[in-house]
Amino acid sequence: MTEHLHTPLSDVSKDANYVASPTTDSSEAKKDDAQTPHPIFVEVQQNCAISAEQLKRYSDPDDLPTDTRTAPDLDVGFGQQRALKALHTALDIKASGYHVFAAGENGLGKRTIISRLLTRIAADETTPDDWVYVHNFTDPRTPLALRLSAGQASLLQQQVNHLWQHAKKRLGQRFRSDQYQSKIEAIKNNTHQKESQAYEVLNAEGKQYDLALTFRPFDNKAVFVHPSKLTVENEGNDNKAAINNHERTSTAEDRLEADTLDLNNNANIDSDNAFGDSNYGNSDYEAELSNFAQKNHMQKRLSQLTIALEQLEDEANDAIEALHRSIAQRALEPLFTPIYEQFTAHPLVIEYLKTVFSDMVTHVERIVNGDDEEFVTAALATTPSRYAVNIIVSHTPESGAPVVFEDLPTHLNLLGHVEQITQLGTVTTDVSMIRAGALHRANGGYLLLEASHLLEHPYAWQGLKRALQSRKIKLSSLEQMLTLTGSLSLSPAPIELDIKVILLGEADLYYELLELEPEFDAVFKVRADFHDDVSRTSEHELALVAKMADIIDYADLYPFDSSAQATLLEHLSLQAEEQDRLSLHSDLLIKLLHESNRHARLDDQKLVTADHVTQAIDDMDERSGYLRDLYWDELKNGQQLIQTKGVAVGQVNALTVVSYADSEFGMPARLTAVIQPNIGAGEILDIERDVDLGGSLHAKGMLIMTSYLRALFSQHHALNFSASLAFEQSYAQIDGDSATVSEGCALLSALANVPINQSLAITGSMNQLGEVQAVGGINAKIAGFFDACREQALTGEQGVVIPMANVKQLMLRDDIIEEVKAGNFHIYGVYTLSEALTLMTGLPIDTTNKKDRYRKDTLFGKVLSRLMLWDENQNSGDDIDDEKKNKKSKKNRKAKHHKKAPKRKKDTLKKTKKDPDKTDDKQISDAEQHSGIEKSIDYQEKIRPVDIIVDDT
C-alpha cells in the first residue's frame, strides 16, 4: 500500500473550488459529485477569505502637512513616555545607586532622546566646580586635588603661569644687580678679613718658636715650617703678603713637602739613631726634640684655627642665604599678593599659593641658576612641573551641568590615568601628566555609556562600579592591576564624585548582567524600557512627521511632500509588522530619508515625493536580496522543488522566513510526511531535530502537534503506525513553531491518504487544542509564496492560509494586493486546524453523527478507517499463517502415523471401503472449512472498517 502519493497534475480541475477525491468511480455521476465542492468547504472558504481592503492600511496624504517645512514641533520623548518617566525618577533621587539602564533595541535612538532630554534638564542646573591637581611639596608622590568654583581653574593656572614668568625674570634682575653684588662682596670681604687676622695672630705666635706659616701649593693647606726653608724670594717679603697671597715657588714646594714628611714620619727614627751615630750629640738631639714639640704645638693651633675658619665660612654662607631669601621675599611678595586676593574664597588655594611662595624663596638659587630639572620649564609647558597647575576639569560659569557620552569606555578613559615619559632609558612622571577621565568631565552632571562597549574592556566595569559605590574618583595604575606589580608612580588624591550614569543596551544584556553581576542591581536601580513601536493614530503620525522634519533639518535635506510622508508611514507600519503600529527605529528612518533625498536630487527635484521614497525602498530591498535571488534562480532552474498547482498526499507548501545578517525574506519550503503502518505506536520522527538542524522551539511545536494527534485518535483506536516529517532541501538551522499547522496537515493527509491542494501554502502555530496561533514574519512569508507562484505562472487558484490572528499585521506589497483584487491570488485566515485542513483538502474534517462518531466522508473518519484497516490486515495475515502452520503439522502427523503402523493402514482402507460416505464427508468438510477461511479473509479485505464504526447517516 502506497503512503506517499503524488496525484498527476492532469487530474487537477481548473475550478478554484475543486478538491480531488481520494477515490474514483466509473460512473459519470460519481465523477460529477467528486468535482462538486463540499458545502462545508464552500462555507469555510467564504468565512476565511481575507478581502483586499484588509491587506494593508494606507495613510491619507490629505491628513498630513503639505511638506515637512510646515510640520509641527518635535516632542523629544515621543513614543517613549515609560522610559522618560523612569529616567525622571532616577534623576530626582540623589541617593546612591540610582543610576539608569536604558533597555531597548539598537537603532531606536535611545542616545539621541536621552541626550536631548538631559541637555534641557542640565541647562537649568548649577554648574559644577572645577578640579585641578598640583604638586604636593610635603609628599611629592601624592599630588593634591584642589576644588574651585566654575571657571576658576583656568584663572588659577593662568595666574600661576604668569607668576612663574614674572618671578623668574624679577629674581634674575635682582641677583644681577650691583646692589646684590656689593652685598655679596661685603660678606666675602668681611669673612676674608677675619680669616687674615686669624692667620696673622697664629703666624705671630709661630714666630716665637722660630716657625713661619705658609701654604702648600698642591693643596693650598696651611702648615708651619722653619724660616730657613722658605725661598729666598719670600724671605724679604712681609709674612702678611705670603699669608694673604698663598703663593709658593717650586723650591719651596719641595722643601715644604720634605719638611712635612720629616716632621710627621722621621721623629722616632732620629731618636733611635741618635745614640748610635757619632754625628749627633746629646745637645743636638735635645734641640731637635724641642723643635719638634714646638711644631706639633703650632700644628694643633692651626687645626683649631681651621675649624674656626670653617664656622666662619658657614656663617658667611648663612648670611648669603639670608640675603637671597630676603631679596626673594621682597621680589615675590608683590607678585603673590594680588593672587591671594583673587582666591580669598578658596582657603586651600591660598594655602597652596603660600606653599609655592615658601618653596620659591627656599630654592631661589636653583631657580636663578636654572641648572636643576625640577626648576626648568618642560618642552610643551610654560611652567616647571613643580609649580604646574594641571586642570582636570573646568567649566564655563553659568553653563549648567555637563552631559558627556564616552564612546570608548576603557578603564583609563573612564577613571583617568597618569602618563609617563621615557628619556635616555629613564621613565619619569609628574603632576602635569595626570589626565582626566570621562567621570571627571561628567562630574556634577550626566554620563552616557554603551553597556556592550563598557564590558569589552578589562577592569572598566570594576572601575566604574567602585567609583559609583564610593562616590570618589581614585586614579589607579592599570599596570598594577594586570601584573600585580608595577613601577613607582604617582598616587593622586581622590576627587569627590556626584554623577548620574546612564547605560545604553539591549534588554538581553540587562538580564545577563543581573544574573552574572550580583552588585549590578544595587548600582543601577532604575531600568528605562524603550519601545520598538507606537500605536498608529493620527496624533502619532503627525508626531512622526515632526521627527522626520527634525532629521531633515539637521541633515539639510530636501523637504518631503505629503505623499512621501504617507509612503514613509506605511513602510514604518510594515517594519512594525502591524497595521495599527508604527516603528520607532530611527536608523531605518534616517536611511530612508537620505536615500529618498538622493533620488530627488538625481531627478533635479527640490521636493521629495512618494515615487522617490518607493525607489529608495526598492533599492534597499535589492541590496539585501542577494541570497533571495540565488534561491529564485534555483527555483527557475528546477533545483528547488516547489509545486504551486495540483495535489499531493502528505506534502505541504510551508511558509518560512530566511534570516541572514541584515537580509530577511520569505520563501516556501516543501514539507513531507511518510507513514509506516503497523510499525510503532504513533511515534513521529522529527528528522530536523534528530540531525541537530531543528531548534528547541521547532521541537516544541512538533511535540505539541504529536500530543494533539494522540489525544484526537487514541480514544478510538490504537495508533498502529510510525511517521516521519522533514523539510525537503533544507540544509540549515530551522527554529520556531510556525510550521506546526503545516506539519499537522501533512501528517493527517498521509494518515488519511487524502491529497492536499498544492496551490495553497500554509503557516501557523498550533496549541494542543488545535487552535491556530499567530506567527512572525507574515508579510515576508506571503510575499515569498506569491513570488514563487508568479514565477511558475498564476492560475487563479493559488493562495496562502494564515492564522486569523495575523490579519491585523498584514502590510502587503501593492502588487500582491492588486492580484488579490483581480482574483488571481487568495489569502485565507483560519482559527483552527480543522478550518485549515478543510481549505487544504476540500473535505469536512471532524463532523460527527448522532452517536458522536466521525462520518466516513470526513478526514478524521478516513484516518480511523485506515487505522482499523491496518489492524484488520495484520490480524488476517496472522490467521492465515496459523492455518497454514496447522495444516502442515497435521500432514506431518499423518505421515508419521502411516510409517509406524502399516497394518493399521489396511484396516483404515477397509473401513473406508465399508463407509465411504463418512470418509468423503470428512474430507469435504476439511476442504470446505479451509476454503471458508480464505473466503472470510477476502471478504474482510473488501469491507472497509469505516463501514463498521461510522454511521452512514
Side-chain angles (χ1 to χ4, degrees):
M1 186 178 295
T2 303
E3 299 298 339
H4 194 272
L5 176 63
H6 293 275
T7 304
L9 298 181
S10 59
D11 294 340
V12 181
S13 172
K14 294 184 180 180
D15 182 33
N17 296 327
Y18 165 78
V19 177
S21 173
T23 58
T24 58
D25 196 285
S26 58
S27 65
E28 294 297 332
K30 294 276 185 167
K31 291 182 180 180
D32 294 338
D33 293 340
Q35 294 182 0
T36 301
H38 197 284
I40 293 181
F41 168 76
V42 175
E43 180 183 358
V44 170
Q45 190 180 48
Q46 292 176 351
N47 293 336
C48 295
I50 306 299
S51 64
E53 290 75 15
Q54 297 176 272
L55 302 182
K56 186 176 182 179
R57 176 179 173 180
Y58 292 91
S59 294
D60 188 358
D62 296 335
D63 297 336
L64 301 175
T66 307
D67 59 57
T68 51
R69 290 172 295 189
T70 60
D73 295 335
L74 173 65
D75 179 11
V76 176
F78 162 65
Q80 305 296 349
Q81 284 73 19
R82 182 193 300 270
L84 296 184
K85 185 177 180 180
L87 193 62
H88 281 293
T89 300
L91 298 182
D92 291 339
I93 299 176
K94 302 302 180 183
S96 176
Y98 275 86
H99 304 284
V100 183
F101 189 98
E105 291 185 4
N106 292 331
L108 288 176
K110 301 188 294 294
R111 192 179 84 189
T112 302
I113 294 174
I114 294 176
S115 296
R116 289 189 174 185
L117 175 65
L118 293 180
T119 301
R120 292 182 180 180
I121 295 175
D124 298 330
E125 293 186 355
T126 304
T127 305
D129 293 333
D130 295 349
W131 286 91
V132 299
Y133 272 115
V134 294
H135 181 73
N136 188 349
F137 296 98
T138 304
D139 183 8
R141 188 174 177 271
T142 309
L144 299 175
L146 299 180
R147 186 172 190 170
L148 300 95
S149 302
Q152 296 293 304
S154 300
L155 179 61
L156 177 62
Q157 185 186 58
Q158 182 181 3
Q159 292 295 337
V160 172
N161 290 341
H162 291 316
L163 174 66
W164 166 253
Q165 300 295 334
H166 289 87
K168 186 176 181 181
K169 181 179 179 181
R170 180 171 294 188
L171 290 175
Q173 293 174 350
R174 294 293 178 87
F175 280 85
R176 288 193 301 268
S177 66
D178 295 338
Q179 184 180 3
Y180 167 75
Q181 296 297 333
S182 62
K183 291 182 179 180
I184 293 295
E185 288 297 328
I187 295 173
K188 290 181 178 180
N189 291 337
N190 184 31
T191 303
H192 187 66
Q193 184 179 1
K194 291 180 180 180
E195 289 179 353
S196 299
Q197 291 176 357
Y199 279 123
E200 288 177 3
V201 173
L202 189 60
N203 186 40
E205 185 179 351
K207 287 181 180 180
Q208 298 177 5
Y209 303 104
D210 197 17
L211 294 173
L213 182 64
T214 186
F215 293 88
R216 294 187 302 196
F218 60 89
D219 60 359
N220 201 28
K221 183 178 181 181
V223 293
F224 281 98
V225 298
H226 195 273
S228 63
K229 294 183 180 182
L230 295 175
T231 59
V232 179
E233 181 182 355
N234 290 334
E235 289 180 357
N237 296 333
D238 187 38
N239 288 334
K240 292 183 179 180
I243 293 173
N244 293 335
N245 296 328
H246 299 173
E247 295 178 354
R248 299 295 181 269
T249 61
S250 60
T251 303
E253 179 181 344
D254 297 338
R255 290 181 181 179
L256 179 60
E257 183 177 0
D259 182 67
T260 304
L261 292 173
D262 178 65
L263 289 174
N264 296 330
N265 302 325
N266 298 333
N268 293 332
I269 296 175
D270 293 341
S271 176
D272 293 337
N273 294 335
F275 297 98
D277 193 344
S278 58
N279 294 330
Y280 288 90
N282 291 333
S283 60
D284 295 334
Y285 169 73
E286 293 176 359
E288 187 68 25
L289 185 61
S290 176
N291 188 29
F292 172 77
Q294 294 170 358
K295 287 183 179 181
N296 191 27
H297 171 71
M298 294 308 299
Q299 201 66 35
K300 290 180 179 180
R301 292 280 294 136
L302 182 60
S303 299
Q304 294 174 356
L305 178 61
T306 302
I307 295 173
L309 292 178
E310 290 177 354
Q311 294 177 354
L312 184 63
E313 185 178 356
D314 291 340
E315 292 176 358
N317 290 333
D318 291 341
I320 293 175
E321 290 181 1
L323 176 63
H324 290 169
R325 292 192 183 96
S326 177
I327 295 173
Q329 288 178 352
R330 291 195 301 270
L332 296 177
E333 280 182 353
L335 300 179
F336 276 85
T337 301
I339 304 179
Y340 292 154
E341 296 176 355
Q342 291 181 346
F343 295 95
T344 53
H346 302 87
L348 293 179
V349 176
I350 298 296
E351 183 179 350
Y352 164 71
L353 291 173
K354 290 181 178 180
T355 307
V356 173
F357 175 80
S358 299
D359 188 75
M360 285 186 175
V361 170
T362 302
H363 301 95
V364 63
E365 299 94 341
R366 300 165 70 179
I367 294 175
V368 174
N369 294 334
D371 56 357
D372 194 325
E373 292 183 358
E374 293 188 13
F375 300 91
V376 176
T377 303
L380 301 177
T382 58
T383 308
S385 60
R386 189 178 185 88
Y387 304 124
V389 176
N390 186 2
I391 298 177
I392 297 300
V393 58
S394 179
H395 304 284
T396 304
E398 305 299 330
S399 61
V403 178
V404 177
F405 173 74
E406 178 56 54
D407 60 344
L408 186 63
T410 63
H411 182 275
L412 301 182
N413 290 347
L414 280 177
L415 300 173
H417 62 285
V418 180
E419 294 180 342
Q420 296 177 339
I421 186 171
T422 303
Q423 291 180 339
L424 301 177
T426 303
V427 179
T428 59
T429 186
D430 54 59
V431 69
S432 64
M433 297 184 187
I434 301 176
R435 297 292 176 258
L439 287 174
H440 295 94
R441 297 193 301 272
N443 194 8
Y446 310 96
L447 175 62
L448 280 72
L449 300 171
E450 286 285 351
S452 58
H453 297 172
L454 177 69
L455 299 175
E456 289 175 356
H457 303 285
Y459 295 96
W461 162 248
Q462 289 82 353
L464 176 65
K465 179 179 67 173
R466 184 178 68 251
L468 295 180
Q469 290 176 336
S470 64
R471 307 188 78 168
K472 290 183 179 180
I473 310 173
K474 184 177 181 181
L475 277 72
S476 56
S477 174
L478 187 59
E479 177 187 1
Q480 294 177 356
M481 292 184 181
L482 297 175
T483 63
L484 302 180
T485 59
S487 58
L488 182 64
S489 182
L490 298 180
S491 180
I495 292 177
E496 296 180 7
L497 179 63
D498 180 17
I499 196 173
K500 289 292 183 181
V501 177
I502 296 93
L503 284 184
L504 309 174
E506 296 189 353
D508 293 341
L509 181 57
Y510 175 79
Y511 296 131
E512 290 179 7
L513 288 172
L514 282 180
E515 180 180 358
L516 301 177
E517 174 54 68
E519 297 179 327
F520 180 78
D521 192 29
V523 179
F524 289 87
K525 295 183 178 180
V526 178
R527 170 182 169 181
D529 287 310
F530 280 77
H531 298 291
D532 301 338
D533 49 38
V534 68
S535 59
R536 187 176 178 180
T537 63
S538 300
E539 179 183 359
H540 289 167
E541 286 186 342
L542 290 176
L544 262 176
V545 171
K547 184 177 182 179
M548 297 177 194
D550 181 73
I551 299 172
I552 291 170
D553 292 341
Y554 179 81
D556 194 21
L557 305 179
Y558 294 146
F560 282 57
D561 67 7
S562 58
S563 65
Q565 298 167 25
T567 305
L568 286 169
L569 292 173
E570 293 164 5
H571 189 73
L572 292 178
S573 279
L574 173 62
Q575 295 302 314
E577 292 190 344
E578 184 77 36
Q579 291 182 355
D580 298 330
R581 308 291 295 180
L582 291 168
S583 175
L584 294 177
H585 280 260
S586 298
D587 286 353
L588 172 65
L589 182 58
I590 292 172
K591 187 188 299 184
L592 274 174
L593 292 175
H594 279 276
E595 297 196 21
S596 302
N597 182 80
R598 169 181 173 269
H599 284 288
R601 187 177 67 252
L602 294 177
D603 291 345
D604 293 330
Q605 300 291 326
K606 300 298 182 181
L607 189 66
V608 182
T609 63
D611 292 337
H612 300 139
V613 177
T614 303
Q615 291 176 5
I617 295 174
D618 293 341
D619 287 351
M620 294 169 61
D621 185 62
E622 182 181 3
R623 287 199 304 269
S624 62
Y626 174 71
L627 292 178
R628 180 189 58 205
D629 294 342
L630 291 179
Y631 170 78
W632 293 126
D633 290 340
E634 293 179 354
L635 186 65
K636 294 176 184 178
N637 299 332
Q639 297 176 2
Q640 284 284 345
L641 302 179
I642 294 296
Q643 186 176 344
T644 59
K645 51 189 174 181
V647 294
V649 175
Q651 176 177 302
V652 175
N653 289 325
L655 298 179
T656 63
V657 174
V658 178
S659 297
Y660 179 78
D662 61 341
S663 177
E664 182 176 292
F665 60 93
M667 57 175 284
R670 175 176 289 183
L671 177 64
T672 58
V674 176
I675 303 298
Q676 298 84 32
N678 295 324
I679 298 176
E683 295 88 359
I684 301 177
L685 174 64
D686 183 5
I687 295 178
E688 309 295 338
R689 184 67 173 176
D690 286 359
V691 296
D692 293 332
L693 287 179
S696 57
L697 295 180
H698 173 74
K700 178 183 178 182
M702 283 288 298
L703 293 175
I704 289 175
M705 185 266 298
T706 303
S707 299
Y708 170 74
L709 292 181
R710 286 180 175 175
L712 193 64
F713 298 112
S714 60
Q715 59 182 334
H716 300 289
H717 194 278
L719 302 183
N720 52 349
F721 69 92
S722 63
S724 61
L725 287 168
F727 280 92
E728 306 296 345
Q729 294 183 285
S730 173
Y731 311 104
Q733 288 289 333
I734 296 176
D735 202 3
D737 62 346
S738 61
T740 311
V741 175
S742 305
E743 293 162 345
C745 292
L747 184 60
L748 289 169
S749 169
L751 284 173
N753 196 26
V754 172
I756 287 179
N757 187 0
Q758 299 300 297
S759 298
L760 297 178
I762 188 169
T763 184
S765 173
M766 185 182 75
N767 59 25
Q768 294 188 110
L769 303 177
E771 297 171 339
V772 179
Q773 303 168 145
V775 295
I778 191 66
N779 294 287
K781 291 177 179 179
I782 295 175
F785 187 69
F786 173 81
D787 292 338
C789 294
R790 186 170 56 182
E791 188 65 36
Q792 297 182 355
L794 292 172
T795 62
E797 301 176 1
Q798 291 127 341
V800 294
V801 179
I802 64 173
M804 190 65 77
N806 282 117
V807 173
K808 281 293 184 180
Q809 297 177 345
L810 294 178
M811 288 295 294
L812 297 180
R813 300 193 319 240
D814 291 340
D815 57 340
I816 300 177
I817 297 175
E818 292 300 325
E819 295 296 339
V820 172
K821 287 181 179 180
N824 297 327
F825 196 75
H826 308 277
I827 298 177
Y828 304 101
V830 296
Y831 290 102
T832 63
L833 177 64
S834 298
E835 292 177 340
L837 286 169
T838 299
L839 292 171
M840 302 294 287
T841 62
L843 296 177
I845 306 302
D846 53 3
T847 55
T848 58
N849 57 16
K850 296 180 180 180
K851 296 180 180 181
D852 199 23
R853 294 178 178 177
Y854 295 125
R855 298 181 181 276
K856 68 177 182 179
D857 61 340
T858 64
L859 183 70
F860 288 173
K862 295 180 183 296
V863 171
L864 288 175
S865 298
R866 298 199 73 205
L867 292 177
M868 297 189 68
L869 176 63
W870 294 334
D871 192 30
E872 292 293 336
N873 288 344
Q874 180 70 21
N875 293 335
S876 299
D878 293 342
D879 293 341
I880 293 174
D881 292 339
D882 292 342
E883 182 66 23
K884 289 181 179 180
K885 184 177 180 180
N886 293 335
K887 184 177 180 180
K888 184 177 181 181
S889 177
K890 185 176 181 180
K891 289 181 178 180
N892 291 336
R893 286 197 303 270
K894 287 182 178 181
K896 185 176 180 180
H897 179 72
H898 289 321
K899 290 180 181 179
K900 290 183 177 180
K903 294 181 179 181
R904 293 180 61 186
K905 183 177 180 180
K906 296 179 180 180
D907 295 339
T908 303
L909 292 174
K910 291 179 181 179
K911 291 180 179 180
T912 304
K913 291 180 180 179
K914 291 181 180 180
D915 194 4
D917 295 336
K918 186 175 181 179
T919 304
D920 293 340
D921 292 341
K922 187 176 189 302
Q923 292 175 350
I924 292 171
S925 177
D926 293 338
E928 288 178 352
Q929 183 178 2
H930 180 68
S931 175
I933 293 173
E934 293 179 347
K935 289 180 180 180
S936 176
I937 294 173
D938 293 337
Y939 180 75
Q940 289 177 3
E941 288 180 347
K942 292 180 180 179
I943 296 176
R944 298 180 62 85
V946 72
D947 295 333
I948 299 174
I949 66 169
V950 179
D951 190 353
D952 292 340
T953 60

